[in-house]
Amino acid sequence: MAKDKEVNEMSFLDHLEELRWHLIRSTLVVVILGSVAFLMRGFIFDTVIFGPKQMSFPTYRLFCDIATYLGFDSAFCADKLPFTIQNRTMAGQFSAHIWTSIWAGFIVGFPYVLYELWKFISPGLYEKERKNSRGFILIASLLFFMGALFGYYVVAPLSINFLGTYQVSKEVLNEIDISSFIATVRASVIACGILFELPILIFFLTKVGLVTPEILKKYRKIALVIVLILSAVITPPDVASQIIVAVPVLVLYQISIYISKVVLKREAKKTGKNVRSG
């Protein structure tokens, strides 16, 4: 009743106004953090963005050591990647600096963005639902950062190593535009960060009755095929790299099935209590 009363007290325009202020505060934090990143140009670009272009990058060293231990030749043991990064437009580097700083602000400020989102959604939940979801921001933030790190240290370097060395002919040189290179790193980091939110998504979809463990199990084989296809697209053409990318996603999918089961069991217990009390 308290929830219904609280929701009814606010009109549609009031909700829009509330949402507007949440968005303003989130944007302000992202801009502030982005401004800090803008001032840290050397670290952001030389160390972070262009790190996967250097063969001294930890991922390349690890795969090189593994290949050497197994007695295989590997492209990861090369001295350098055979491509250059260039700028083709007058404002290209300045634009790349600004947008990279903004995205860096978003990634670092992701927990606060979640916090503002939660503040907007939580008044529409029952007290028990709010209590059961107290760890939402922490867990979702941890999953996002785990995914971002996986994207940066696994997906991004594998993609750059493969795409940067791929040639249809020796007549064609790989001279990659700075915006294209940054987009590859950014997409790998943010896409994996969002992908790792799968357990959170399944939790809420199960709560509203759109997903069940049976549905997830039924389409597990299809999900496996999709994951393997995506792994083959974003990694070099070898089985080991594809497995490295695919395994964490499949583990997340299995965890999601378990989470869906737990949610349904809790809902069943609540229903049972309500029936007995009635």
Side-chain angles (χ1 to χ4, degrees):
M1 291 294 294
K3 185 189 81 164
D4 295 336
K5 183 178 180 181
E6 183 179 351
V7 172
N8 291 332
E9 285 177 353
M10 294 184 66
S11 67
F12 177 72
L13 291 178
D14 290 332
H15 282 293
L16 286 180
E17 179 66 15
E18 186 72 15
L19 176 61
R20 185 173 75 91
W21 280 107
H22 286 300
L23 293 175
I24 288 174
R25 286 192 291 268
S26 298
T27 303
L28 184 60
V29 168
V30 170
V31 169
I32 291 173
L33 293 173
S35 300
V36 175
F38 187 86
L39 298 175
M40 300 173 63
R41 179 178 60 184
F43 173 76
I44 293 296
F45 283 91
D46 295 336
T47 302
V48 179
I49 298 296
F50 297 132
K53 185 182 181 301
Q54 309 303 322
M55 293 309 297
S56 58
F57 195 69
T59 305
Y60 300 143
R61 293 205 308 267
L62 174 63
F63 285 136
C64 177
D65 291 342
I66 293 174
T68 302
Y69 178 78
L70 296 175
F72 299 136
D73 293 329
S74 174
F76 296 111
C77 296
D79 294 329
K80 64 178 183 179
L81 291 172
F83 68 87
T84 58
I85 299 175
Q86 59 181 347
N87 174 53
R88 294 178 179 273
T89 60
M90 184 66 71
Q93 295 197 55
F94 182 68
S95 178
H97 189 188
I98 291 177
W99 281 107
T100 299
S101 300
I102 292 174
W103 280 109
F106 171 77
I107 292 171
V108 176
F110 184 78
Y112 184 80
V113 175
L114 272 182
Y115 170 72
E116 288 293 341
L117 176 64
W118 179 247
K119 282 183 66 178
F120 177 71
I121 295 175
S122 58
L125 301 177
Y126 290 104
E127 183 63 28
K128 287 184 179 181
E129 292 174 333
R130 284 198 290 267
K131 287 182 179 180
N132 292 335
S133 305
R134 280 177 179 174
F136 165 73
I137 297 174
L138 176 62
I139 295 173
S141 297
L142 287 175
L143 287 172
F144 178 80
F145 287 128
M146 287 172 59
L149 289 173
F150 179 77
Y152 180 70
Y153 282 104
V154 179
V155 178
L158 291 179
S159 300
I160 291 169
N161 184 277
F162 172 60
L163 298 174
T165 59
Y166 189 85
Q167 286 182 296
V168 294
S169 170
K170 292 184 178 179
E171 296 295 323
V172 183
L173 299 178
N174 282 331
E175 297 178 343
I176 300 170
D177 189 77
I178 183 174
S179 61
S180 177
F181 183 89
I182 293 175
T184 300
V185 178
R186 181 181 64 235
S188 299
V189 171
I190 295 179
C192 287
I194 294 174
L195 183 62
F196 270 54
E197 298 290 347
L198 179 62
I200 299 291
L201 177 63
I202 295 300
F203 173 83
F204 285 107
L205 290 179
T206 304
K207 289 281 287 184
V208 299
L210 294 178
V211 168
T212 64
E214 289 71 25
I215 292 176
L216 294 174
K217 290 177 181 178
K218 179 180 178 181
Y219 293 102
R220 180 161 43 193
K221 292 182 179 179
I222 297 176
L224 172 62
V225 173
I226 293 174
V227 168
L228 291 176
I229 292 174
L230 290 175
S231 301
V233 170
I234 65 177
T235 61
D238 64 84
V239 177
S241 299
Q242 293 170 17
I243 291 175
I244 289 171
V245 173
V247 166
V249 179
L250 295 176
V251 170
L252 284 172
Y253 192 87
Q254 190 62 40
I255 292 174
S256 298
I257 295 176
Y258 174 76
I259 290 174
S260 184
K261 287 181 179 178
V262 171
V263 171
L264 287 183
K265 285 182 180 178
R266 289 181 177 178
E267 292 296 324
K269 287 182 179 178
K270 290 179 183 178
T271 303
K273 288 181 180 178
N274 292 333
V275 171
R276 286 193 296 270
S277 62

